Amino acid sequence: MDTVMQHRPLGRTGRTVSVVGLGTWQLGADWGDVTESDARAVLEASAEEGVTFFDTADVYGDGRSETVIGGFLADYPDAGITVATKMGRRVDQVPENYVLDNFRAWTERSRRNLGVDTLDLVQLHCPPTSVYTDDELYDALDTLVAEGAVASYGVSVEKVEEALAAIAHPHVATVQIIANAFRLKPLEEVFPAARDAGVGIIVRVPLASGLLSGKYDAGTRFADDDHRSFNRDGSAFDVGETFSGVDYDTGLVAAQEFGRLVEAEAPAGTSSAQAAIAWLCQQEAVSSVIPGARNVEQARSNAAAGRVAPLGAAFDAGVHRIYDEHLRAAIHPRW
């Protein structure tokens, strides 16, 4: 491994961030209980390992994740952290709610939670599909920038078509999308378009909710308040956010094959989780990959993925083979 974390431009924001960031959904809610002290320890460990990009949302723990990050920023003002938050999921998911007055209220709340005057990056949080093609919405986001509430804006999406619609707008700085070894369609369609437009790609769910870590089996049980228990059928939110939309039993088979691929082709000592993250980091279009971490050990291990040597053509071919054999038919048409 290299000794220094790689950094990349964050799309059109004018900022540079670590190629491995930190997703903080699990520090707010929906992943079982994580104490505030544990959450703070994860932030501190990530920063110590060279992570300079934290991704959060106003809905994670109804502001808890933002508030914990805000406390960290106050105590470490020189840490060089860029924070991306998201807005829009605290109201009914209808296009009529995505208007300037609401944007002002939502960003004001996030600024208070984070303890900042201007948000580094605010992203629309997987709104209804029609929102991505609404020119007035982008005018409203431009107004937030002009007023100084946000420095840059982007979108978080579920579907490839939503990402492509957003990329077409000239002031969209970033697109956040699910991509991993079990979700390849974004690499084929979104990554090239974003690269050509100068839009940054933020990759979430890089481990398919942990499947790609190789640590789960048929007997694994998750807490009742963990989305890997209650959202397997998509009853709470898009099922693609849980195990990347992959059927759990099928995912276990594919994950076992992925583990064998890592043993055969990845540098010695690289874990399955690190290989999955590193493979994404090594995609040219990617600005940052944002795995979550529930403890310090996970945070440090994830960050180390940003220092893994190039995985090579044989590893890439193996990823595509596993996807084509086990997952493409069920996953590719849906998102």
Side-chain angles (χ1 to χ4, degrees), residues 17-96:
V17 297
S18 55
V19 72
V20 177
L22 176 69
T24 64
W25 180 10
Q26 77 289 346
L27 304 187
D30 296 330
W31 290 80
D33 183 51
V34 177
T35 67
E36 186 167 336
S37 61
D38 287 345
R40 178 61 177 261
V42 165
L43 298 178
E44 292 175 352
S46 296
E48 289 170 1
E49 294 295 327
V51 170
T52 62
F53 183 59
F54 295 166
D55 178 85
T56 185
D58 60 2
V59 77
Y60 295 167
D62 197 26
R64 179 178 185 245
S65 177
E66 287 182 329
T67 301
V68 173
I69 292 172
F72 173 88
L73 296 177
D75 289 343
Y76 299 94
D78 300 321
I81 305 296
T82 293
V83 178
T85 192
K86 297 184 283 293
M87 64 180 183
R89 301 295 295 188
R90 298 177 67 247
V91 296
D92 292 339
Q93 291 303 288
V94 294
E96 293 78 13

Side-chain angles (χ1 to χ4, degrees), residues 255-267:
Q256 289 173 352
E257 291 197 26
F258 183 80
R260 290 192 288 270
L261 175 66
V262 172
E263 290 181 2
E265 300 294 343

Side-chain angles (χ1 to χ4, degrees), residues 8 10 21 55 62 70 108 111 154 166 169 175 185-188 215 223 238 286 300 319:
R8 301 263 181 87
L10 184 59
D55 178 85
D62 197 26
E108 172 61 24
R111 287 154 62 197
H169 287 265
V175 167
K185 190 174 182 179
L187 278 74
E188 298 175 6
K215 295 180 179 180
D238 192 289
V286 169
R300 295 192 186 282
V319 169

Side-chain angles (χ1 to χ4, degrees), residues 250-317:
T250 302
L252 291 178
V253 173
Q256 289 173 352
E257 291 197 26
F258 183 80
R260 290 192 288 270
L261 175 66
V262 172
E263 290 181 2
E265 300 294 343
T270 304
S271 70
S272 289
Q274 288 170 334
I277 296 167
W279 177 73
L280 290 164
C281 291
Q282 292 168 17
Q283 305 298 320
E284 180 184 358
V286 169
S287 292
S288 193
V289 181
I290 53 169
R294 295 185 60 187
N295 56 55
V296 167
E297 180 183 9
Q298 287 178 353
R300 295 192 186 282
S301 179
N302 290 344
R307 302 189 289 271
V308 172
L311 291 168
F315 187 91
D316 189 72

